[in-house]
Amino acid sequence: MSRKRVAVLISGRGSNMAALIDAAKAADFPAEIALVVSNVPNAAGLAAAAKAGIATATIDHTAFGKDRAAFERALHDVLLQNRIDLVCLAGFMRLLTPWFVGQWPNRMLNIHPALLPAFKGLDTHARALAAGVKLHGASVHIVVPEMDSGPIIAQGAVPVREDDTEAALAARVLAVEHRLYPLALRLVAEGRVTVEGGRCRIAGQPEPDTALLVPPDGA
Ligand code: GRF
């Protein structure tokens, strides 16, 4: 089977993008990172992508003023020109219209730093700390028009520690993100993810039965 051509959309440092680029170096990875697009000129991730030999493009949304549709048409054109099969949002800080999302049905993924549907939106780590949850984490989901709401492909959980700071918790979650996004992209690129009734079904994956207890019992 030919490798799926993936575009990664970023706005910033691009550490998830880098994790996807690294994973796709493996000969048996079913996708290649064909393009990295940033809406922010000089985003740190652009330089990292170029250094890794990946084609990059910048589509500065500010150049389109309030015309969100024109920005998205420009973005869509670049994706078509590059014969992209799958789109991965990785810290891409633009809301997308239903039109754009509709161009990529079940073919656009996003990573969110929380165990969805908890803590949609921004400042997830601070909100998790304030809520006093004992488990936090990250989710990769299929993008639908409503923000952070699509069918969940994969999730990774981490314990929240008594003495956690926002930065410490964010770093613990980020390490999980870097494992989770390649895993989720692999499943989608292999055609093992089907969406039924708003839920993702994953074919041919062992079902884990281990529980993560916080605090652990018997400690
Ligand atoms: C990540 O925490 C991701 O989950 C969120 O934005 C952050 C992007 O970080 N959507 P990076 O640019 O991938 O380093």
Side-chain angles (χ1 to χ4, degrees), residues 124-141:
T124 54
H125 309 306
R127 287 158 58 212
L129 286 175
V133 295
K134 301 297 189 198
L135 286 166
H136 186 42
S139 307
V140 177
H141 66 93

Side-chain angles (χ1 to χ4, degrees), residues 10-18 45 89-93 110-114 124-125 138-139 148 170 173-174 177-178 181:
I10 64 168
S11 300
R13 72 187 159 183
S15 71
N16 278 290
M17 171 210 78
L89 308 182
F92 184 67
M93 302 303 284
N110 181 46
I111 187 156
H112 181 72
T124 54
H125 309 306
S139 307
D148 299 332
V173 171
L174 192 64
E177 293 184 41
H178 296 163
Y181 215 167

Side-chain angles (χ1 to χ4, degrees), residues 30-76:
E32 65 176 299
I33 310 306
L35 178 69
V36 169
V37 185
S38 174
N39 67 307
V40 176
N42 304 319
L46 283 172
K51 201 168 167 206
I54 313 279
T56 63
T58 301
I59 304 175
D60 180 359
H61 65 279
T62 64
F64 297 86
K66 287 193 185 334
D67 195 346
R68 200 175 278 273
F71 164 72
E72 290 186 345
R73 275 197 304 276
L75 178 56
H76 193 61

